[in-house]
Amino acid sequence: MPIPIIIVDDNDADRYLIKRSIEETAVDCLVTEFTAGDDFLSAYEDPQHYSAMVPESAAKAMILLDINMPRLTGFDVLERLAETPITRSDFVVMMITSSDNVRDKDRAKQFEFVKAFAVKPLDEEKILDLCANYF
Amino acid sequence: MFHKQLAHFKQGIKSSTARRFVLATILSSSILACFITAIQLYMQYQNDVSQLNADIDQIKKSWLPSLRKSLWSIDEELIRSQLQGILQFDGFEYVSVTTDDSTYEFGSKTGYMRSIAYSYELQREEFSRVWNLGTLEVIVSLDQIYRSLWRQLLTLLLSNTLKTTLVALIIIVIYQSMVGRYIAQLAKFATHYDLGQTQHQPILERNNRVEDEFSQVENAMHSFIANQHEQVEKHRVASTTIATQRDALEESNNQLAKVNEELTHFSYSTSHDLKAPMTSVLGFLKFAKKDIARNELDQAVEDIDLAVVELERLTHRIEDTLALARSELSENKWETIDIKALVKDVWQRVSQSYPQVIVSFRCQFSHSVIPKLVKVRIQIILENLFSNAIKYSSPERPIKKVWLQTENCENQFVIRVSDNGIGIAKEYHQRAFTVFQRFANSPYPSSGLGLAIARKNVEQMGGTIELESSKAGTTFKLCFEIVQPQR
């Protein structure tokens, strides 16, 4: 059962690095990429689009969310996710960011669906841990 | 005239000071008068008594010898007429001569209250022998004296009382007109005086300029008031100064708070955005190592190339950050710039950096007056605005347009830089000029500092920058005051 993984990061290089990290883990997955928070959210809120990303048969989705993005930041996205009535919810979010800022960590912790916080460059171990705990 | 005095009287009688004054004056005057009257009456009494004594002496001197003669010669007619003569004296009420054989008496012993009786032995020395002729008794009534004394006393008392009463009334009037009303005026003045009014008012209503204690008080009060005005003025100046200083302090505080906030935000953003490319480089190098280990050399080379790109991005970002810091610090060289030439020159340079993008550029210079500006800063601003316009041009539009307009509007010099690019959504307008903000992805590297740099440079010249945007494109409006104080 491939794990649906959604990457939301505006930086091409970072997205590339995350994908390679995922490849290194050799986990069976279905990866979708977004370059901006609002693009992701419009896809998330459209059931048809969402089904394309996250098949019905999948129990959960993994969202790897960057903090520093143009227009909508990672936190803006989290807030929208928290507001949106949960249709086919069940996702797990890991924040990926450049700086190990305590304030950012604390703010992210307030959302119960954020289960991990990683500093770039992303360590494969982190992905494996997340898979082991939640998938 | 009478009405005025009557008015004074009516006022005076109400005044307790006036009443006490009159009372004290009258009382002391009356005591003195009583004293003097007593002395007067005593002296009168003494006078009367001495008159009486004089009469008695007279009788002793002249009448006694005559009586002796008439008694010796037993001349009854003479005796009687002499006795009657004695009775003529004032106050003599009874006279009698008593001999061995007979008594001659005239007057009465009653009908009066107080009297003095005198008796004299009448004797004659004859033929070497003392003959007792008889005894003369005289009673003098003192009633007359006392009555006259009494009458005098009553008269004096009455006239004094009358005089005292009249004088008291007059004193009240005089007191009120000379003293009382001025005191009342002073009190009224002091009560109603309002420090706010600045007119110099006379305190006392007096026609003649008299130099007395009241004018002294008046002068003292005037100088006191002048002093108060001085104090009030000093206070006003002091509190104005304090208010101004407080305002300046508040202004200073606000600026400091603003700068502090900017700095905090700046350091947060900078650390984030400068670190980001480094993390990517780290990632690429880690994978490069792995790829070399697996002998996938092409992949390794690709990783290293990508790392290089990131480092270039970082370099670019650091340069822009320094440019932003520099735009805060650099000194201003004000001059009248040739804006037309400058605009064309900057456009040429910028558009050459993006050769793949075909942009049509137009400019229209409708201004007549241009203030003194700093050439380097205008260059930087235009560079950033132009490169943004190119970078964020719309891929959907075949003809990408950028145009620049200048004009004079309400004592300002206005530059507008417009494009038909992808635009910036209204919700991001506020953030647009802060650091490390990007609202769209562009095929061209962008540090997110362009607008921050542009704004800093605009502000350092005392101008303002605004942004309008829609799906049709974006316009930046720069305004500079024509009359500019030299910094």
Side-chain angles (χ1 to χ4, degrees):
Chain A
M1 203 42 283
I3 300 174
I5 301 183
I6 305 170
I7 307 176
V8 187
D9 194 327
D10 64 307
N11 188 321
D12 299 337
D14 289 341
R15 276 199 317 278
Y16 173 83
L17 287 168
I18 294 170
K19 272 192 297 194
R20 273 207 70 177
S21 295
I22 296 172
E23 279 168 22
E24 292 292 315
T25 63
V27 161
D28 183 18
C29 54
L30 177 65
V31 176
T32 324
E33 293 173 45
F34 290 97
T35 60
D38 35 19
D39 294 337
F40 162 67
L41 282 170
S42 39
Y44 174 80
E45 280 152 13
D46 177 2
Q48 220 176 356
H49 205 146
Y50 193 74
S51 307
M53 295 193 299
V54 182
E56 300 267 352
S57 46
K60 275 199 183 92
M62 185 192 300
I63 306 179
L64 303 175
L65 181 58
D66 183 21
I67 293 184
N68 213 22
M69 295 187 286
R71 298 198 299 274
L72 284 179
T73 65
F75 288 115
D76 295 330
V77 171
L78 285 177
E79 271 165 34
R80 272 275 284 280
L81 284 176
E83 282 168 21
T84 317
I86 300 176
T87 47
R88 276 192 42 216
S89 69
D90 249 2
F91 50 81
V92 151
V93 174
M94 173 154 68
M95 305 301 290
I96 308 186
T97 177
S98 321
S99 79
D100 192 7
N101 190 316
V102 177
R103 269 200 342 226
D104 287 341
K105 263 197 193 151
D106 289 340
R107 198 171 161 196
K109 267 202 206 131
Q110 288 175 12
F111 299 90
E112 54 92 26
F113 40 76
V114 175
K115 305 293 184 192
F117 195 94
V119 180
K120 295 180 188 175
L122 184 57
D123 203 353
E124 292 93 68
E125 289 299 314
K126 288 257 173 176
I127 302 178
L128 288 171
D129 283 341
L130 214 61
C131 292
N133 290 336
Y134 298 98
F135 292 86
Chain B
M1 169 77 186
F2 177 68
H3 286 296
K4 197 158 147 211
Q5 306 310 326
L6 188 62
H8 282 324
F9 177 74
K10 281 192 187 149
Q11 271 305 111
I13 202 99
K14 288 186 202 158
S15 154
S16 72
T17 318
R19 290 198 297 268
R20 278 183 290 149
F21 181 80
V22 166
L23 196 66
T25 313
I26 297 298
L27 205 64
S28 42
S29 155
S30 300
I31 290 173
L32 204 64
C34 281
F35 197 58
I36 293 174
T37 308
I39 294 176
Q40 255 182 313
L41 289 176
Y42 181 69
M43 284 175 64
Q44 182 71 31
Y45 175 75
Q46 288 293 81
N47 212 19
D48 289 343
V49 166
S50 62
Q51 177 68 38
L52 188 67
N53 287 334
D55 291 345
I56 297 287
D57 281 343
Q58 171 105 0
I59 290 177
K60 283 210 307 213
K61 257 203 210 106
S62 31
W63 293 94
L64 284 187
S66 321
L67 261 177
R68 282 196 207 103
K69 274 200 192 108
S70 52
L71 278 171
W72 184 254
S73 33
I74 315 176
D75 187 349
E76 288 192 355
E77 282 273 339
L78 198 56
I79 290 171
R80 286 206 182 91
S81 78
Q82 281 171 342
L83 288 182
Q84 278 172 340
I86 290 175
L87 220 50
Q88 298 305 315
F89 279 101
D90 259 331
F92 284 71
E93 294 294 322
Y94 175 84
V95 62
S96 73
V97 166
T98 321
T99 64
D100 294 334
D101 333 327
S102 50
T103 304
Y104 303 87
E105 55 183 358
F106 292 92
S108 87
K109 279 194 179 177
T110 63
Y112 43 86
M113 302 257 297
R114 283 171 281 253
S115 56
I116 303 180
Y118 297 91
S119 66
Y120 301 95
E121 292 292 328
L122 298 161
Q123 293 172 332
R124 183 168 169 123
E125 266 192 54
E126 191 76 43
F127 313 125
S128 37
R129 160 182 167 178
V130 177
W131 301 78
N132 283 330
L133 298 170
T135 312
L136 171 70
E137 197 183 338
V138 180
I139 299 183
V140 184
S141 154
L142 298 173
D143 278 359
Q144 187 71 354
I145 293 177
Y146 285 123
R147 215 176 295 134
S148 105
L149 272 179
W150 189 240
R151 209 178 26 252
Q152 266 196 305
L153 182 69
L154 281 179
T155 312
L156 279 171
L157 275 177
L158 210 66
S159 68
N160 265 325
T161 308
L162 196 67
K163 184 189 75 181
T164 305
T165 311
L166 280 175
V167 168
L169 298 177
I170 292 173
I171 290 180
I172 289 180
V173 172
I174 294 176
Y175 174 86
Q176 180 60 19
S177 97
M178 283 182 80
V179 175
R181 67 170 164 168
Y182 297 133
I183 293 180
Q185 280 174 13
L186 284 172
K188 184 173 162 201
F189 180 81
T191 314
H192 292 123
Y193 187 72
D194 173 19
L195 211 58
Q197 65 190 56
T198 49
Q199 283 173 323
H200 184 89
Q201 277 188 338
I203 302 175
L204 303 174
E205 299 152 28
R206 299 214 279 183
N207 301 328
N208 41 343
R209 290 266 135 248
V210 178
E211 289 302 314
D212 61 1
E213 288 77 11
F214 283 111
S215 62
Q216 276 178 8
V217 172
E218 211 178 357
N219 291 341
M221 283 185 78
H222 277 308
S223 64
F224 175 75
I225 288 169
N227 206 17
Q228 287 301 98
H229 275 296
E230 235 180 81
Q231 295 284 3
V232 166
E233 184 60 27
K234 268 194 208 150
H235 279 178
R236 196 190 58 80
V237 168
S239 59
T240 310
T241 312
I242 289 175
T244 314
Q245 284 176 342
R246 194 200 50 222
D247 286 341
L249 212 64
E250 218 179 294
E251 177 67 33
S252 205
N253 257 6
N254 288 344
Q255 278 182 355
L256 268 165
K258 191 170 143 216
V259 166
N260 205 20
E261 204 200 303
E262 262 185 51
L263 228 58
T264 312
H265 179 68
F266 182 75
S267 62
Y268 175 79
S269 301
T270 309
S271 66
H272 227 270
D273 285 85
L274 291 183
K275 206 176 167 213
M278 289 310 292
T279 62
S280 310
V281 169
L282 265 173
F284 282 121
L285 292 181
K286 272 179 25 189
F287 281 122
K289 259 180 77 176
K290 277 198 187 136
D291 291 334
I292 292 172
R294 292 174 201 159
N295 213 17
E296 289 171 22
L297 297 179
D298 289 337
Q299 182 66 43
V301 167
E302 208 188 300
D303 292 334
I304 293 171
D305 282 338
L306 290 168
V308 167
V309 167
E310 287 305 298
L311 282 173
E312 278 167 356
R313 172 180 301 182
L314 175 60
T315 311
H316 192 73
R317 216 168 260 191
I318 291 174
E319 278 169 2
D320 279 349
T321 307
L322 287 175
L324 182 59
R326 239 183 282 127
S327 47
E328 187 78 53
L329 300 171
S330 61
E331 269 193 38
N332 292 331
K333 189 170 152 221
W334 300 92
E335 50 184 334
T336 309
I337 54 180
D338 182 359
I339 189 81
K340 296 183 190 170
L342 186 66
V343 164
K344 295 204 173 104
D345 181 53
V346 172
W347 175 258
Q348 191 136 24
R349 263 190 293 120
V350 171
S351 55
Q352 271 171 7
S353 312
Y354 304 92
Q356 319 84 313
V357 186
I358 316 230
V359 184
S360 123
F361 179 68
R362 277 186 2 244
C363 40
Q364 182 189 5
F365 300 97
S366 319
H367 69 277
S368 45
V369 186
I370 181 169
K372 288 209 171 138
L373 297 168
V374 183
K375 185 169 171 196
V376 167
R377 293 194 188 273
I378 296 286
Q379 264 175 335
I380 293 172
I381 294 164
L382 290 177
E383 272 167 19
N384 279 291
L385 291 181
F386 287 160
S387 63
N388 273 7
I390 296 175
K391 279 191 288 195
Y392 296 104
S393 54
S394 169
E396 288 163 27
R397 300 211 173 95
I399 304 177
K400 304 174 211 313
K401 298 192 200 152
V402 174
W403 61 104
L404 181 145
Q405 288 167 304
T406 65
E407 65 167 347
N408 286 128
C409 177
E410 285 173 13
N411 210 35
Q412 290 187 324
F413 171 65
V414 179
I415 303 177
R416 283 194 177 80
V417 178
S418 315
D419 62 56
N420 63 351
I422 56 178
I424 305 172
K426 187 100 191 239
E427 50 201 283
Y428 305 123
H429 283 200
Q430 196 144 38
R431 287 184 0 207
F433 295 102
T434 56
V435 294
F436 299 120
Q437 295 294 328
R438 280 164 285 120
F439 304 110
N441 295 321
S442 157
Y444 301 95
S446 166
S447 60
L449 287 173
L451 290 182
I453 291 173
R455 180 173 78 165
K456 257 283 150 12
N457 278 292
V458 167
E459 282 175 358
Q460 286 288 328
M461 290 189 287
T464 58
I465 180 167
E466 284 162 29
L467 125 76
E468 282 158 26
S469 186
S470 67
K471 280 223 162 102
T474 312
T475 300
F476 288 93
K477 179 179 166 195
L478 315 167
C479 299
F480 299 97
E481 290 284 322
I482 303 278
V483 180
Q484 225 174 23
Q486 286 293 330
R487 286 189 193 217

